[in-house]
Amino acid sequence: MVVHLVGAGPGDPELITLKAVKVLEKAEVVIYDRLANEEILKHAPHAKLIYVGKKAGEHYKTQEEINKILIDEAKAHDEVVRLKGGDPFVFGRGGEEVLALQEEGISVDMIPGITSAIGVPTTIGLPVTHRGVATSFTVVTGHEDPTKKEKQVKWDYTADTVVVLMGIGQIAENTQEMMKYRDPETPVCVIEKGTTPEERIITGTLENISKKDINPPALLIVGNVVDVYKKMKK
Ligand code: SAH
């Protein structure tokens, strides 16, 4: 009765850890969200696969329902893998799942993954820090839970580089807010479906990026490091 909470990496199926592959190989059950690449599931040939992500036009499972599935499967099997895109603790609600499982006396083994927030920029040659350009970065959600009473995201971050996840639906509002604190000419880079064959890279400025054709899943990188990306040979 152990649940391995595993990060699957940002998309490219080779960007998963050896440790993750090892636990997938012996998994009896794999509970997974939508993954950029389902090829990763091939590492778990013996497992029952349970999909708990979003499906177009269908009601998707609440966090409580997912927690219940995890608990029930963990009680019925020795080796359960909970697989999540990127890193399980970066906007993945992994922490909530760990707490729910531990409350039931179930042990959890946590295996990190390459988060899209840093891994995707790296694969295109965009460093989130760069000597003389950026000494800090912030990773923020562009889509705060609409049921929250008070917004936690205020867009007044002082880090040199800001990486926005889940920010495409509200890109116009978010960039508008950021321009209250940053020059509208600040360079911006959007990476759509990074590390996959459908990857697209779009560059612009805080002022004009929202007018471009962008589709999720994508992340937004704001800051002068985008100029370093433009210089780097591909
Ligand atoms: N736990 C994940 C993030 C989950 S939130 C991680 O660590 O990467 C989902 C958001 O991540 C998406 O809305 C998008 O902003 C970003 N994302 C995930 N995979 C991506 C990819 N391959 N390319 C671009 N953005 C990606």
Side-chain angles (χ1 to χ4, degrees):
M1 196 166 85
V2 59
V3 175
H4 306 274
L5 176 69
V6 177
D12 177 344
E14 294 194 353
L15 291 176
I16 189 168
T17 64
L18 287 175
K19 210 165 197 166
V21 170
K22 276 188 191 159
V23 295
L24 281 167
E25 280 169 351
K26 57 178 186 180
E28 294 164 72
V29 185
V30 177
I31 300 157
Y32 67 103
D33 296 318
R34 183 167 55 188
L35 297 169
N37 196 321
E38 296 207 351
E39 220 174 275
I40 284 168
L41 297 171
K42 286 190 187 148
H43 294 297
H46 315 296
K48 170 169 87 172
L49 302 176
I50 304 178
Y51 177 74
V52 293
K54 293 183 195 178
K55 256 186 212 151
E58 247 181 63
H59 151 86
Y60 56 92
K61 296 199 166 23
T62 63
Q63 191 60 49
E64 289 66 37
E65 288 171 321
I66 295 171
N67 292 354
K68 169 127 193 356
I69 294 171
L70 286 170
I71 291 163
D72 291 348
E73 294 297 331
K75 287 184 175 169
H77 299 93
D78 288 332
E79 294 287 334
V80 175
V81 169
R82 172 66 172 122
L83 189 63
K84 285 174 175 285
D87 184 275
F89 285 168
V90 179
F91 300 123
R93 305 192 71 170
E96 292 165 64
E97 297 180 6
V98 172
L99 293 173
L101 286 159
Q102 289 178 344
E103 218 164 273
E104 293 286 320
I106 298 160
S107 49
V108 186
D109 159 44
M110 294 161 242
I111 302 178
I114 295 178
T115 178
S116 63
I118 304 171
V120 165
T122 294
T123 57
I124 71 158
L126 197 165
V128 292
T129 69
H130 191 78
R131 205 174 170 87
V133 178
T135 55
S136 54
F137 61 89
T138 287
V139 179
V140 62
T141 173
H143 181 90
E144 241 184 315
D145 179 353
T147 62
K148 263 192 211 165
K149 277 200 201 85
E150 206 183 316
K151 288 235 173 293
Q152 273 174 278
V153 178
K154 303 215 163 51
W155 299 108
D156 55 350
Y157 301 103
T158 52
D160 298 312
T161 306
V162 177
V163 181
V164 186
L165 300 193
M166 300 177 282
I168 303 310
Q170 294 178 33
I171 190 169
E173 296 86 334
N174 294 345
T175 47
Q176 199 65 41
E177 283 301 310
M178 271 189 273
M179 280 190 282
K180 290 183 185 162
Y181 309 97
R182 275 165 209 260
D183 184 346
E185 291 304 313
T186 306
V188 175
C189 178
V190 169
I191 312 168
E192 248 179 60
K193 298 200 173 131
T195 79
T196 77
E198 296 92 54
E199 175 174 286
R200 282 180 69 224
I201 302 169
I202 303 121
T203 55
T205 62
L206 264 184
E207 179 135 63
N208 67 22
I209 196 77
S210 69
K211 298 178 190 96
K212 307 205 177 193
D213 169 37
I214 297 167
N215 303 293
L219 52 85
L220 199 87
I221 302 129
V222 179
N224 293 330
V225 286
V226 174
D227 289 334
V228 180
Y229 154 74
K230 289 177 184 164
K231 270 194 233 153
M232 217 174 268
K233 287 200 180 66
K234 310 295 170 334

